[in-house]
Amino acid sequence: VQLQASGGGLVQAGGSLRLSCAASGRTSIPYTMGWFRQAPGKEREFVAGITRNGVSTSYANSVKGRFTISRDNAKNMMNLQMNSLRPEDTAVYYCASKTAYTTVIGTTRGWYNSWGQGTLVTVSS
């Protein structure tokens, strides 16, 4: 499956952005999908994940209460609504998916087997 992330940009602290991830190239809907981010000089870290049916979600502690992950399987889309953005949220955001059957949400980079190209989010203070 191919993933295409979009929606990044420059925003002031306290502002909002909505990231989208479009999945294509596969007849079946991806299973768990997630967002990761990588700031300059840092490791790629888990941000949020959502199961195939959208019932279960998981968030990194640093974004709980500010970010909301969702998906629309009819459109093969996943979104990340980011509110109350902080300068420390600045990073390249990547969407990822697990194409093998699963009902859980992995939080490590190696657990996902398909990745998008990333979209840059810059939060100014």
Side-chain angles (χ1 to χ4, degrees):
V1 62
Q2 288 78 49
L3 301 176
Q4 179 76 34
S6 61
L10 174 63
V11 64
Q12 287 190 328
S16 299
L17 277 177
R18 184 177 177 85
L19 304 184
S20 294
C21 178
S24 63
R26 186 179 169 94
T27 56
S28 61
I29 300 168
Y31 288 93
T32 295
M33 298 184 75
W35 289 97
F36 283 69
R37 66 186 181 186
Q38 188 166 15
K42 294 189 175 181
E43 295 291 317
R44 192 172 298 187
E45 64 176 2
F46 174 79
V47 175
I50 187 167
T51 53
R52 191 187 200 192
N53 60 10
V55 172
S56 296
T57 58
S58 178
Y59 296 92
N61 288 334
S62 59
V63 306
K64 277 182 182 177
R66 300 188 297 123
F67 291 10
T68 302
I69 190 171
S70 63
R71 65 190 293 172
D72 183 342
N73 289 337
K75 298 180 179 179
N76 261 352
M77 294 285 294
M78 175 181 63
N79 299 299
L80 185 68
Q81 179 65 42
M82 306 186 296
N83 299 328
S84 303
L85 283 162
R86 305 167 180 169
E88 53 265 37
D89 294 318
T90 295
V92 176
Y93 283 70
Y94 298 88
C95 58
S97 70
K98 183 82 166 180
T99 55
Y101 176 80
T102 183
T103 58
V104 299
I105 300 171
T107 60
T108 59
R109 181 176 179 175
W111 190 82
Y112 294 83
N113 61 334
S114 184
W115 291 85
Q117 86 292 355
T119 185
L120 177 62
V121 172
T122 303
V123 184
S124 62
S125 57

